[in-house]
Amino acid sequence: MTELSRSVRGLTVLVTGAASGMGRATAEVFAAEGANVAVTDYDGEGAEAVAAGIVAQGGRAKAWKLDVGDKAEIDAVVADVARHFGGLDAVVNNAGISGFTQIDNEGYDELWERMIRVCLTAHQRIIRAALPHLRKSKSPRIVNIASTEALGATALDSAYSAAKAGVTGLTRALAVELGKEGITVNCVCPGPILTGMTRGIPDEQRDIYAKRRTALRRYGLPEEVAHITLSLCMPAASYITGVTIPVDGGLMARNA
Ligand code: NAI
């Protein structure tokens, strides 16, 4: 047996959309395991609050305001994170937005443009900004958060579904391209998770949906997704790349 480490202690991870939901849980789980965490979000104050909470618990974190739709901001923040922590080992592309509309509704083009920019283009931009730093890491990791909407689809959700399916393609292509450098690139597809994104759905509706669609008959918790992301970033996870992992309570497995 070699001694592959199951610890992310001392490694630096940048998480986007970390002020809420799964991004927040991811930041907190990594910090609890001893990683240095760059807590980034469009909502700068929310990111500050999450980082302050981590520091109050004895963890290492710093907040950055980062709109992933803005390339200049991405380049500046990624460089500053690497400077601050003395490197960058993992990137978790988590920030995302939702938006439902019919394909022929007015405003579709605007929704499409925003969705692709925030949920897909941002991923490649952050990866490109992070690459020079990841190349210096002993355990370089990229985790992209997509959705079960990348694997199946819901009516009126075509822009989101297209962006998320794009993330799975980007993941595979970059896993193949960067594999020779030892950089792993994987994708997590959450199913229905209790976060800011789904908070607006009435409890009763959420319950009916979960019972009808998931094998586990319930919504998932943000930390149930964060732990898979953490596992993919462990140095020991060095032979898994290019995969798309549903974390969906069995939603994709269930026919009836
Ligand atoms: P959330 O709404 O709780 O958190 C999303 C975070 O992203 C927020 O803090 C928000 O400020 C931030 N954000 C939005 N636009 C941004 C931008 N342009 N730049 C930087 N940050 C931005 O949502 P949740 O559910 O935690 O979402 C995380 C990821 O999981 C998203 O990519 C979402 O599409 C995905 N997802 C969520 C599911 C769910 O059931 N909640 C299911 C499948 C995927």
Side-chain angles (χ1 to χ4, degrees), residues 20 22 41-42 66-68 94 146-147 160 164 190-191 193 195-196:
S20 170
M22 284 178 261
D41 202 287
Y42 179 80
L66 171 59
D67 174 359
V68 299
N94 164 82
S147 166
Y160 184 81
K164 295 298 190 178
I193 311 294
T195 67

Side-chain angles (χ1 to χ4, degrees), residues 59 74 85 111 154 175 214:
I74 288 175
F85 287 118
L111 173 69
T154 303
T214 69

Side-chain angles (χ1 to χ4, degrees), residues 66-79 121-122 125-126 129:
L66 171 59
D67 174 359
V68 299
D70 182 331
K71 185 177 182 312
E73 241 179 70
I74 288 175
D75 291 343
V77 169
V78 170
T121 306
R125 285 180 172 162
I126 288 172

Side-chain angles (χ1 to χ4, degrees), residues 158-249:
S158 57
Y160 184 81
S161 197
K164 295 298 190 178
V167 171
T168 66
L170 180 72
T171 300
R172 280 188 295 275
L174 292 184
V176 172
E177 184 172 327
L178 300 175
K180 60 182 181 298
E181 300 185 63
I183 301 172
T184 72
V185 191
N186 291 297
C187 180
V188 171
C189 288
I193 311 294
L194 285 170
T195 67
M197 201 173 266
T198 51
R199 202 170 293 138
I201 304 168
D203 285 357
E204 198 190 89
Q205 240 175 282
R206 267 202 306 251
D207 198 43
I208 292 169
Y209 177 84
K211 288 207 163 84
R212 191 166 52 82
R213 296 298 314 279
T214 69
L216 294 175
R217 270 63 170 181
R218 64 172 175 86
Y219 261 59
L221 301 174
E223 72 174 86
E224 292 182 297
V225 179
H227 280 286
I228 302 304
T229 303
L230 174 78
S231 302
L232 291 169
C233 290
M234 286 175 184
S238 45
Y239 202 56
I240 179 166
T241 194
V243 303
T244 291
I245 305 177
V247 181
D248 65 350

